[in-house]
Amino acid sequence: MESRAALINALTVYTTKFKEEQPFALQFRELLKSTGCYHRDHLPGHITGSAWIVDEDRTHVLLIHHNNLNKWLQPGGHADGDENVLNVALREANEETGLSNLIQLTPGFFDLDIHPIPTRKGFPEHFHFDVRFLFQASKKDELKISEESSDLKWINLEDIPTLTQNNPSILRMIKKLDTIAN
């Protein structure tokens, strides 16, 4: 997704079998009509990019424990004006995990999600329009925890529902892994 136009084109043809994800493509396309949607101060929400990182065996996912949200999540963050959301996901993955040798496993994006972010430091509640990409990394590579996180680790897929309090978007990405050929 090198540009806004590329993302809009991908969203136009995107289909999903997950009912909760189905309305997201249209909502993303509406947001993308706004010139400021790639900036973190754009309300009611803005584009973010994230990385769903699996190990070689696809039995573990790399998650961070986000300090401000107090949740286990995949690495990701604000576009900060960058319309290449794949680059955003890669940048955020590198900043939050220290990994730089990620292999993209699917062409285009892997998942879409729109989720609320609570009011913080005088900035009102808003929405992250998250474009997610699927990557593979080696569990042998050295990890580096960022200042935004209190923990970072490879989590067995079986343990993720409990750890994430059955976060529906994370559970959806686990289910999607089953549909990707090894």
Side-chain angles (χ1 to χ4, degrees):
M1 307 297 107
E2 306 82 37
S3 67
R4 181 185 305 247
L7 180 55
I8 291 169
N9 288 338
L11 290 164
T12 302
V13 297
Y14 185 65
T15 60
T16 180
K17 68 178 186 174
F18 295 90
K19 187 173 83 173
E20 70 276 10
E21 188 185 19
Q22 290 171 355
F24 294 158
L26 177 61
Q27 293 170 306
F28 269 80
R29 289 196 322 262
E30 285 299 313
L31 178 71
L32 286 161
K33 291 177 182 177
S34 172
T35 56
C37 67
Y38 284 92
H39 296 275
R40 67 174 68 206
D41 59 354
H42 184 270
L43 294 174
H46 39 263
I47 301 290
T48 58
S50 66
W52 185 246
I53 305 169
V54 297
D55 68 334
E56 302 95 328
D57 299 324
R58 298 191 189 165
T59 59
H60 290 75
V61 172
L62 186 59
L63 296 180
I64 63 168
H65 189 265
H66 195 282
N67 285 336
N68 293 333
L69 298 174
N70 193 28
K71 292 181 180 182
W72 285 96
L73 301 166
Q74 72 280 357
H78 294 101
D80 289 328
D82 187 350
E83 292 191 7
N84 186 328
V85 287
L86 174 58
N87 281 351
V88 172
L90 286 167
R91 179 190 74 224
E92 291 293 328
N94 177 259
E95 289 175 4
E96 295 181 358
T97 70
L99 295 175
S100 59
N101 295 321
L102 298 175
I103 299 166
Q104 188 173 359
L105 294 180
T106 57
F109 56 82
F110 175 63
D111 188 72
L112 296 172
D113 196 59
I114 301 172
H115 50 269
I117 301 298
T119 299
R120 189 170 168 272
K121 293 185 179 178
F123 197 73
E125 180 179 72
H126 59 282
F127 293 91
H128 280 181
F129 286 68
D130 199 28
V131 183
R132 296 158 169 190
F133 296 88
L134 178 62
F135 298 104
Q136 178 180 297
S138 172
K139 288 196 294 187
K140 296 175 186 172
D141 289 344
E142 183 180 347
L143 300 176
K144 181 181 170 187
I145 298 174
S146 77
E147 294 176 3
E148 296 177 19
S149 307
S150 59
D151 204 353
L152 163 69
K153 60 184 172 182
W154 289 100
I155 311 290
N156 187 299
L157 290 174
E158 296 173 358
D159 298 330
I160 291 175
T162 301
L163 189 68
T164 64
Q165 301 173 339
N166 292 307
N167 179 317
S169 73
I170 290 179
L171 297 181
R172 182 176 65 242
M173 288 189 288
I174 292 171
K175 290 176 188 171
K176 283 184 176 188
L177 279 178
D178 291 337
T179 66
I180 306 299
N182 285 323

